[in-house]
Structures are given as structure tokens and as C-alpha cells.
Amino acid sequence: MMTNKKVLISGAGVAGLALAYWLDRHGFHVTVVERAPQVRHGGYAVDFRGEALHVLDRMDLLEPIRALDTEMGDAAMVDAEGRQYATLPAAVFAGDLEVPKAELTRLLYAAAQDRAEYLFGDSISAVEQDADGVNVTFESGPSRRFDLLVGADGLHSRVRSLTFGPEERFVQPLGIYTAIFSLPNYLGLHHTGQLYVSPGKAANMFADGAGGRARAALHLAAEHLEYDRHDIGEQQRIIAERFAGEGWEIPRLLTEMRAAEDFWFDTNAQVVMDTWASGRVVLLGDAGYCAAPTSGRGTSQALIGAYVLAGELARADSDHTAAFIAYEKAMRPFVTEHQAVGREGAQRFFMPAPSQEVLDMLAANAVPAAGAPIPSPSSSSHSSSPAIP
């Protein structure tokens, strides 16, 4: 009989929801704790590449997700007066499949909601483990015991901090900060977008044609910004100050930003760790190996990692240590490659002023445009993905 069956997952994002689905399929008893009062929505479109599509297929989600494909067309690169000076081909910034993140999380939750116990509006405040299990204290007060704990709680993982050490030991910023929010589609964009670039800054507005809403993303280059991660007003002031005086639609975007109910702001960073497991605790997705938005592979890594981790735990029966080792062996080359892509994307392509070199490369459809959070095409999309049986 399989032991180590009671698993707590921290985080109801892509990684946590996918893992809940697969662990239930393998006969585990799953609890998911999520700080937000419900499954988080928002964010802009996410890409799927290579083996991630096979994982979706095995979850019976590939066709429903294909139906939500943004079908984004070419985007216009514009100057301060809004005049187009280059075209960014859709093939450059899209993966094999692209969907709005909110729709992805909705479908993942629908697939996993009956497969786990969910504790919304709560989070982990303390973790103590011994040879036989993990005692977890929740911020709401009670403590519970589980066989295993999985940190799938993102770049700023609480599980990682409590188990492995402070964030600054593992999180490596790439010198880019991004704000994302929705706004009225006043430019009338339809399955396309516009991109504005100036030295150290980039902004894009895009719409997939669904209703009268669009999304905007404002990116700025900065080595280190001091701010309260929970103070939206302070974050918006940073963006407003840095983008003051810029042309194109920036003044209107800054006004819409202050009215947005789904404003999000964070650093583009990677998580680099020697190991993703400690005793009965293991990390999944961005919590353990974030590759940064400039890699364009975070969603695929989360889905594949969840599939691999659940499979290894099922195969190893009661030996969680062996399962964690096998999980890391399968995922490490995949993660290493994509983190290299993420660093290259940040350093070379993300923020340059529009130069003739960049325009020439755009014309050749060889590299991403400045500001597009996607990987360098110099690496294969599928080269080191773990095999999906």
C-alpha cells in the first residue's frame, strides 16, 4: 500500500492546480492552501511549447485550451508620435499555443477543484518536519500534519523562505520590472498590439479581440528598486515617475493604470538553487526554478514539472527522497537551458533603444523585439524537455 499519501500544496497557480490534478489521479489525498480568496486571475497571455502540450492533452484540456487561442497577429512597433516603423511578426512572440492566463487558471481549477481540499484566504506561517511527516501552521491559526509539503507558491515563495532560507539567497533579479493591468480597448486593437520602446523602457498594449478590454504592460530597466511588495500605490508611483514625459499612449496608460483593479507589478527574476528538496518538502515551478518572463517558458515548466513530480512520487511509493531526486534529474537540464534563455532575453533583447541592428533582425524574423517577454530563438523550443510518456 502506498504511504506518504497526504500532500499539502502551497499555491493555487498553474503549478499547484496541475499537481493537485495529477496527484489525485495517482491516489494521493491533496490539500491546497492559497493566500488569495479565490483562484487568481489576471496576467497576460501565456505560451505553451513542446511537451507541455502533451501534458494538457493527458489532462483532456488541450482542445478546450486550443479553443481559447488568442490567435494574435503581427504587432506594430511605434514611435513617440504613434507612427509605425516596424512590424513584429506573431511567430516571434507566440509559442505553439497562446491563451489568456485567466482562462488557463479557470480551466485548470475546473479540472482540479473536486480532486483536492482547498483552503483559500490562508497561507503557511510555520513548517516543522521530522522523519515521519511535516507539521504546518497556518496563518488562520490551526496546525495540521501532512506527509509531504510542496511549495508551488511562486517567485516569492513562503515555503522556500521557511524551509530553505531567505529570498535573497535564491532570487536573482534581471534588472527589469514590469507592470501589467487591463484597460478599455480604446485603440480598437483586434488580435494584435502596439509596442513602444525608449532607452530603458518599453510599453505594449494588446487585445485578443475578446470584448472591449485590452491589456497593457510597462517595463523598465533598473538595477534595484526599494518598494513594498504589497503597496500598489507605491508601485504605481514608481511607474508614473519613470514613464513621465514619454510619448505614444503613455499618458493615457498611466491614467488607466491608476483605475485598474487588476494591477500587478514585480521584478523579472530567476530562482537558482542547488536542490529543490529538503526532507519532506519540495519546490515546484517558479518557487524552485523561475526562468523569468523573458524566457517565455514559465507556464510550460510549471505544467511539465507538476506532471513529472506526481509521476515520480507515484512510482517511488513510500520513498519520497528517491522521487525528489528523480524529479530533479528529469527537470534540471530543461530548467538550466531555459534560465539561460531568460538571461539572454533580458540582457540582449528586452530593453534596447530601437537601433538599425534590432530592426534588421526583426526584418529577418530572427529575434524578439525589445519589450517582448519571450525567449531568444537561438535555442530549441523542445531540446531538453523531459520526455512525457
Side-chain angles (χ1 to χ4, degrees), residues 10-37:
S10 177
V14 172
L17 292 172
L19 183 63
Y21 175 92
W22 287 112
L23 286 178
D24 175 81
R25 286 275 297 265
H26 289 300
F28 291 82
H29 302 298
V30 183
T31 300
V32 180
V33 59
E34 165 58 49
R35 176 184 292 275

PDB file of all heavy atoms in Angstrom, residues 10-37:
ATOM      1  N   SER A  10       1.187  24.379  -1.424  1.00  0.00           N
ATOM      2  CA  SER A  10       1.034  25.805  -1.175  1.00  0.00           C
ATOM      3  C   SER A  10       1.034  26.531  -2.515  1.00  0.00           C
ATOM      4  O   SER A  10       2.029  26.529  -3.230  1.00  0.00           O
ATOM      5  CB  SER A  10       2.190  26.314  -0.299  1.00  0.00           C
ATOM      6  OG  SER A  10       2.080  27.714  -0.108  1.00  0.00           O
ATOM      7  N   GLY A  11      -0.104  27.139  -2.850  1.00  0.00           N
ATOM      8  CA  GLY A  11      -0.210  27.872  -4.103  1.00  0.00           C
ATOM      9  C   GLY A  11      -1.197  27.245  -5.058  1.00  0.00           C
ATOM     10  O   GLY A  11      -1.049  26.089  -5.435  1.00  0.00           O
ATOM     11  N   ALA A  12      -2.213  28.009  -5.466  1.00  0.00           N
ATOM     12  CA  ALA A  12      -3.214  27.533  -6.419  1.00  0.00           C
ATOM     13  C   ALA A  12      -3.035  28.225  -7.753  1.00  0.00           C
ATOM     14  O   ALA A  12      -4.004  28.691  -8.373  1.00  0.00           O
ATOM     15  CB  ALA A  12      -4.625  27.751  -5.873  1.00  0.00           C
ATOM     16  N   GLY A  13      -1.779  28.289  -8.208  1.00  0.00           N
ATOM     17  CA  GLY A  13      -1.495  28.780  -9.540  1.00  0.00           C
ATOM     18  C   GLY A  13      -1.434  27.628 -10.519  1.00  0.00           C
ATOM     19  O   GLY A  13      -1.921  26.525 -10.255  1.00  0.00           O
ATOM     20  N   VAL A  14      -0.802  27.855 -11.658  1.00  0.00           N
ATOM     21  CA  VAL A  14      -0.710  26.814 -12.685  1.00  0.00           C
ATOM     22  C   VAL A  14      -0.042  25.571 -12.135  1.00  0.00           C
ATOM     23  O   VAL A  14      -0.538  24.449 -12.287  1.00  0.00           O
ATOM     24  CB  VAL A  14       0.055  27.341 -13.914  1.00  0.00           C
ATOM     25  CG1 VAL A  14       0.327  26.222 -14.906  1.00  0.00           C
ATOM     26  CG2 VAL A  14      -0.738  28.462 -14.590  1.00  0.00           C
ATOM     27  N   ALA A  15       1.099  25.727 -11.461  1.00  0.00           N
ATOM     28  CA  ALA A  15       1.838  24.575 -10.944  1.00  0.00           C
ATOM     29  C   ALA A  15       1.030  23.827  -9.895  1.00  0.00           C
ATOM     30  O   ALA A  15       0.917  22.592  -9.940  1.00  0.00           O
ATOM     31  CB  ALA A  15       3.180  25.033 -10.370  1.00  0.00           C
ATOM     32  N   GLY A  16       0.472  24.551  -8.928  1.00  0.00           N
ATOM     33  CA  GLY A  16      -0.257  23.895  -7.848  1.00  0.00           C
ATOM     34  C   GLY A  16      -1.514  23.193  -8.314  1.00  0.00           C
ATOM     35  O   GLY A  16      -1.813  22.076  -7.879  1.00  0.00           O
ATOM     36  N   LEU A  17      -2.277  23.823  -9.208  1.00  0.00           N
ATOM     37  CA  LEU A  17      -3.504  23.207  -9.707  1.00  0.00           C
ATOM     38  C   LEU A  17      -3.199  21.966 -10.541  1.00  0.00           C
ATOM     39  O   LEU A  17      -3.893  20.949 -10.431  1.00  0.00           O
ATOM     40  CB  LEU A  17      -4.299  24.216 -10.529  1.00  0.00           C
ATOM     41  CG  LEU A  17      -4.893  25.397  -9.752  1.00  0.00           C
ATOM     42  CD1 LEU A  17      -5.483  26.417 -10.712  1.00  0.00           C
ATOM     43  CD2 LEU A  17      -5.942  24.928  -8.754  1.00  0.00           C
ATOM     44  N   ALA A  18      -2.164  22.055 -11.385  1.00  0.00           N
ATOM     45  CA  ALA A  18      -1.803  20.895 -12.194  1.00  0.00           C
ATOM     46  C   ALA A  18      -1.327  19.746 -11.312  1.00  0.00           C
ATOM     47  O   ALA A  18      -1.668  18.576 -11.546  1.00  0.00           O
ATOM     48  CB  ALA A  18      -0.718  21.274 -13.201  1.00  0.00           C
ATOM     49  N   LEU A  19      -0.546  20.061 -10.281  1.00  0.00           N
ATOM     50  CA  LEU A  19      -0.077  19.000  -9.390  1.00  0.00           C
ATOM     51  C   LEU A  19      -1.232  18.368  -8.627  1.00  0.00           C
ATOM     52  O   LEU A  19      -1.269  17.141  -8.449  1.00  0.00           O
ATOM     53  CB  LEU A  19       0.957  19.554  -8.411  1.00  0.00           C
ATOM     54  CG  LEU A  19       1.581  18.516  -7.482  1.00  0.00           C
ATOM     55  CD1 LEU A  19       2.363  17.464  -8.260  1.00  0.00           C
ATOM     56  CD2 LEU A  19       2.476  19.182  -6.434  1.00  0.00           C
ATOM     57  N   ALA A  20      -2.192  19.172  -8.177  1.00  0.00           N
ATOM     58  CA  ALA A  20      -3.357  18.622  -7.480  1.00  0.00           C
ATOM     59  C   ALA A  20      -4.083  17.631  -8.370  1.00  0.00           C
ATOM     60  O   ALA A  20      -4.515  16.554  -7.921  1.00  0.00           O
ATOM     61  CB  ALA A  20      -4.292  19.754  -7.054  1.00  0.00           C
ATOM     62  N   TYR A  21      -4.231  17.978  -9.637  1.00  0.00           N
ATOM     63  CA  TYR A  21      -4.889  17.085 -10.588  1.00  0.00           C
ATOM     64  C   TYR A  21      -4.143  15.761 -10.690  1.00  0.00           C
ATOM     65  O   TYR A  21      -4.744  14.677 -10.563  1.00  0.00           O
ATOM     66  CB  TYR A  21      -4.953  17.767 -11.953  1.00  0.00           C
ATOM     67  CG  TYR A  21      -5.500  16.885 -13.053  1.00  0.00           C
ATOM     68  CD1 TYR A  21      -6.854  16.885 -13.355  1.00  0.00           C
ATOM     69  CD2 TYR A  21      -4.659  16.061 -13.793  1.00  0.00           C
ATOM     70  CE1 TYR A  21      -7.362  16.074 -14.357  1.00  0.00           C
ATOM     71  CE2 TYR A  21      -5.150  15.255 -14.801  1.00  0.00           C
ATOM     72  CZ  TYR A  21      -6.502  15.261 -15.084  1.00  0.00           C
ATOM     73  OH  TYR A  21      -6.996  14.453 -16.074  1.00  0.00           O
ATOM     74  N   TRP A  22      -2.833  15.818 -10.914  1.00  0.00           N
ATOM     75  CA  TRP A  22      -2.079  14.582 -11.149  1.00  0.00           C
ATOM     76  C   TRP A  22      -1.909  13.745  -9.892  1.00  0.00           C
ATOM     77  O   TRP A  22      -1.952  12.513  -9.953  1.00  0.00           O
ATOM     78  CB  TRP A  22      -0.720  14.914 -11.762  1.00  0.00           C
ATOM     79  CG  TRP A  22      -0.823  15.336 -13.194  1.00  0.00           C
ATOM     80  CD1 TRP A  22      -0.584  16.562 -13.728  1.00  0.00           C
ATOM     81  CD2 TRP A  22      -1.253  14.510 -14.290  1.00  0.00           C
ATOM     82  NE1 TRP A  22      -0.833  16.561 -15.074  1.00  0.00           N
ATOM     83  CE2 TRP A  22      -1.240  15.324 -15.451  1.00  0.00           C
ATOM     84  CE3 TRP A  22      -1.643  13.177 -14.396  1.00  0.00           C
ATOM     85  CZ2 TRP A  22      -1.595  14.826 -16.706  1.00  0.00           C
ATOM     86  CZ3 TRP A  22      -1.998  12.690 -15.649  1.00  0.00           C
ATOM     87  CH2 TRP A  22      -1.981  13.505 -16.781  1.00  0.00           C
ATOM     88  N   LEU A  23      -1.729  14.384  -8.747  1.00  0.00           N
ATOM     89  CA  LEU A  23      -1.607  13.603  -7.515  1.00  0.00           C
ATOM     90  C   LEU A  23      -2.900  12.851  -7.221  1.00  0.00           C
ATOM     91  O   LEU A  23      -2.873  11.691  -6.791  1.00  0.00           O
ATOM     92  CB  LEU A  23      -1.241  14.513  -6.341  1.00  0.00           C
ATOM     93  CG  LEU A  23       0.196  15.025  -6.308  1.00  0.00           C
ATOM     94  CD1 LEU A  23       0.398  15.958  -5.108  1.00  0.00           C
ATOM     95  CD2 LEU A  23       1.202  13.867  -6.243  1.00  0.00           C
ATOM     96  N   ASP A  24      -4.025  13.514  -7.427  1.00  0.00           N
ATOM     97  CA  ASP A  24      -5.297  12.813  -7.237  1.00  0.00           C
ATOM     98  C   ASP A  24      -5.411  11.623  -8.189  1.00  0.00           C
ATOM     99  O   ASP A  24      -5.867  10.549  -7.798  1.00  0.00           O
ATOM    100  CB  ASP A  24      -6.451  13.779  -7.461  1.00  0.00           C
ATOM    101  CG  ASP A  24      -7.801  13.079  -7.406  1.00  0.00           C
ATOM    102  OD1 ASP A  24      -8.303  12.848  -6.296  1.00  0.00           O
ATOM    103  OD2 ASP A  24      -8.344  12.746  -8.487  1.00  0.00           O
ATOM    104  N   ARG A  25      -4.990  11.798  -9.420  1.00  0.00           N
ATOM    105  CA  ARG A  25      -5.036  10.696 -10.386  1.00  0.00           C
ATOM    106  C   ARG A  25      -4.198   9.505  -9.915  1.00  0.00           C
ATOM    107  O   ARG A  25      -4.513   8.355 -10.225  1.00  0.00           O
ATOM    108  CB  ARG A  25      -4.509  11.182 -11.740  1.00  0.00           C
ATOM    109  CG  ARG A  25      -5.450  12.076 -12.511  1.00  0.00           C
ATOM    110  CD  ARG A  25      -6.446  11.243 -13.333  1.00  0.00           C
ATOM    111  NE  ARG A  25      -5.767  10.444 -14.342  1.00  0.00           N
ATOM    112  CZ  ARG A  25      -5.601  10.813 -15.604  1.00  0.00           C
ATOM    113  NH1 ARG A  25      -6.037  12.007 -16.004  1.00  0.00           N
ATOM    114  NH2 ARG A  25      -5.009  10.022 -16.473  1.00  0.00           N
ATOM    115  N   HIS A  26      -3.149   9.803  -9.155  1.00  0.00           N
ATOM    116  CA  HIS A  26      -2.273   8.736  -8.662  1.00  0.00           C
ATOM    117  C   HIS A  26      -2.677   8.234  -7.275  1.00  0.00           C
ATOM    118  O   HIS A  26      -1.956   7.427  -6.674  1.00  0.00           O
ATOM    119  CB  HIS A  26      -0.827   9.225  -8.620  1.00  0.00           C
ATOM    120  CG  HIS A  26      -0.208   9.401  -9.978  1.00  0.00           C
ATOM    121  ND1 HIS A  26      -0.070   8.366 -10.870  1.00  0.00           N
ATOM    122  CD2 HIS A  26       0.322  10.497 -10.590  1.00  0.00           C
ATOM    123  CE1 HIS A  26       0.516   8.814 -11.980  1.00  0.00           C
ATOM    124  NE2 HIS A  26       0.750  10.100 -11.822  1.00  0.00           N
ATOM    125  N   GLY A  27      -3.800   8.700  -6.745  1.00  0.00           N
ATOM    126  CA  GLY A  27      -4.307   8.165  -5.493  1.00  0.00           C
ATOM    127  C   GLY A  27      -3.881   8.883  -4.232  1.00  0.00           C
ATOM    128  O   GLY A  27      -4.069   8.359  -3.124  1.00  0.00           O
ATOM    129  N   PHE A  28      -3.346  10.089  -4.344  1.00  0.00           N
ATOM    130  CA  PHE A  28      -2.950  10.861  -3.171  1.00  0.00           C
ATOM    131  C   PHE A  28      -4.130  11.664  -2.635  1.00  0.00           C
ATOM    132  O   PHE A  28      -5.075  11.964  -3.361  1.00  0.00           O
ATOM    133  CB  PHE A  28      -1.804  11.815  -3.526  1.00  0.00           C
ATOM    134  CG  PHE A  28      -0.487  11.136  -3.816  1.00  0.00           C
ATOM    135  CD1 PHE A  28      -0.239  10.605  -5.077  1.00  0.00           C
ATOM    136  CD2 PHE A  28       0.491  11.029  -2.845  1.00  0.00           C
ATOM    137  CE1 PHE A  28       0.970   9.990  -5.358  1.00  0.00           C
ATOM    138  CE2 PHE A  28       1.695  10.408  -3.112  1.00  0.00           C
ATOM    139  CZ  PHE A  28       1.939   9.883  -4.370  1.00  0.00           C
ATOM    140  N   HIS A  29      -4.033  12.036  -1.367  1.00  0.00           N
ATOM    141  CA  HIS A  29      -5.015  12.920  -0.737  1.00  0.00           C
ATOM    142  C   HIS A  29      -4.395  14.318  -0.682  1.00  0.00           C
ATOM    143  O   HIS A  29      -3.385  14.527  -0.010  1.00  0.00           O
ATOM    144  CB  HIS A  29      -5.380  12.434   0.658  1.00  0.00           C
ATOM    145  CG  HIS A  29      -5.920  11.037   0.686  1.00  0.00           C
ATOM    146  ND1 HIS A  29      -7.078  10.681   0.037  1.00  0.00           N
ATOM    147  CD2 HIS A  29      -5.437   9.906   1.265  1.00  0.00           C
ATOM    148  CE1 HIS A  29      -7.306   9.377   0.224  1.00  0.00           C
ATOM    149  NE2 HIS A  29      -6.320   8.891   0.959  1.00  0.00           N
ATOM    150  N   VAL A  30      -5.009  15.265  -1.352  1.00  0.00           N
ATOM    151  CA  VAL A  30      -4.371  16.560  -1.598  1.00  0.00           C
ATOM    152  C   VAL A  30      -5.135  17.689  -0.913  1.00  0.00           C
ATOM    153  O   VAL A  30      -6.361  17.758  -0.968  1.00  0.00           O
ATOM    154  CB  VAL A  30      -4.288  16.841  -3.110  1.00  0.00           C
ATOM    155  CG1 VAL A  30      -3.559  18.157  -3.365  1.00  0.00           C
ATOM    156  CG2 VAL A  30      -3.594  15.686  -3.829  1.00  0.00           C
ATOM    157  N   THR A  31      -4.373  18.584  -0.284  1.00  0.00           N
ATOM    158  CA  THR A  31      -4.899  19.848   0.234  1.00  0.00           C
ATOM    159  C   THR A  31      -4.113  20.968  -0.415  1.00  0.00           C
ATOM    160  O   THR A  31      -2.891  20.890  -0.552  1.00  0.00           O
ATOM    161  CB  THR A  31      -4.746  19.929   1.761  1.00  0.00           C
ATOM    162  OG1 THR A  31      -5.473  18.857   2.375  1.00  0.00           O
ATOM    163  CG2 THR A  31      -5.275  21.253   2.298  1.00  0.00           C
ATOM    164  N   VAL A  32      -4.813  22.029  -0.846  1.00  0.00           N
ATOM    165  CA  VAL A  32      -4.171  23.185  -1.458  1.00  0.00           C
ATOM    166  C   VAL A  32      -4.493  24.411  -0.622  1.00  0.00           C
ATOM    167  O   VAL A  32      -5.662  24.689  -0.343  1.00  0.00           O
ATOM    168  CB  VAL A  32      -4.662  23.403  -2.911  1.00  0.00           C
ATOM    169  CG1 VAL A  32      -3.977  24.625  -3.516  1.00  0.00           C
ATOM    170  CG2 VAL A  32      -4.409  22.164  -3.760  1.00  0.00           C
ATOM    171  N   VAL A  33      -3.468  25.145  -0.216  1.00  0.00           N
ATOM    172  CA  VAL A  33      -3.676  26.399   0.508  1.00  0.00           C
ATOM    173  C   VAL A  33      -3.257  27.549  -0.389  1.00  0.00           C
ATOM    174  O   VAL A  33      -2.227  27.491  -1.055  1.00  0.00           O
ATOM    175  CB  VAL A  33      -2.891  26.427   1.847  1.00  0.00           C
ATOM    176  CG1 VAL A  33      -1.394  26.263   1.634  1.00  0.00           C
ATOM    177  CG2 VAL A  33      -3.191  27.711   2.622  1.00  0.00           C
ATOM    178  N   GLU A  34      -4.081  28.586  -0.425  1.00  0.00           N
ATOM    179  CA  GLU A  34      -3.845  29.736  -1.317  1.00  0.00           C
ATOM    180  C   GLU A  34      -4.175  31.019  -0.564  1.00  0.00           C
ATOM    181  O   GLU A  34      -5.267  31.161  -0.004  1.00  0.00           O
ATOM    182  CB  GLU A  34      -4.714  29.615  -2.568  1.00  0.00           C
ATOM    183  CG  GLU A  34      -4.845  30.870  -3.410  1.00  0.00           C
ATOM    184  CD  GLU A  34      -3.514  31.411  -3.911  1.00  0.00           C
ATOM    185  OE1 GLU A  34      -2.713  30.622  -4.462  1.00  0.00           O
ATOM    186  OE2 GLU A  34      -3.272  32.616  -3.724  1.00  0.00           O
ATOM    187  N   ARG A  35      -3.218  31.957  -0.568  1.00  0.00           N
ATOM    188  CA  ARG A  35      -3.392  33.210   0.162  1.00  0.00           C
ATOM    189  C   ARG A  35      -4.577  34.023  -0.383  1.00  0.00           C
ATOM    190  O   ARG A  35      -5.303  34.658   0.380  1.00  0.00           O
ATOM    191  CB  ARG A  35      -2.114  34.041   0.077  1.00  0.00           C
ATOM    192  CG  ARG A  35      -2.235  35.414   0.725  1.00  0.00           C
ATOM    193  CD  ARG A  35      -0.982  36.235   0.527  1.00  0.00           C
ATOM    194  NE  ARG A  35       0.135  35.672   1.263  1.00  0.00           N
ATOM    195  CZ  ARG A  35       0.384  35.924   2.546  1.00  0.00           C
ATOM    196  NH1 ARG A  35      -0.427  36.718   3.224  1.00  0.00           N
ATOM    197  NH2 ARG A  35       1.423  35.400   3.144  1.00  0.00           N
ATOM    198  N   ALA A  36      -4.774  34.021  -1.671  1.00  0.00           N
ATOM    199  CA  ALA A  36      -5.857  34.798  -2.274  1.00  0.00           C
ATOM    200  C   ALA A  36      -7.212  34.196  -1.895  1.00  0.00           C
ATOM    201  O   ALA A  36      -7.309  32.999  -1.592  1.00  0.00           O
ATOM    202  CB  ALA A  36      -5.704  34.825  -3.789  1.00  0.00           C
ATOM    203  N   PRO A  37      -8.267  34.987  -1.929  1.00  0.00           N
ATOM    204  CA  PRO A  37      -9.593  34.470  -1.559  1.00  0.00           C
ATOM    205  C   PRO A  37     -10.202  33.541  -2.590  1.00  0.00           C
ATOM    206  O   PRO A  37     -11.213  32.895  -2.328  1.00  0.00           O
ATOM    207  CB  PRO A  37     -10.439  35.743  -1.404  1.00  0.00           C
ATOM    208  CG  PRO A  37      -9.747  36.765  -2.234  1.00  0.00           C
ATOM    209  CD  PRO A  37      -8.289  36.448  -2.145  1.00  0.00           C
TER     210      PRO A  37
END
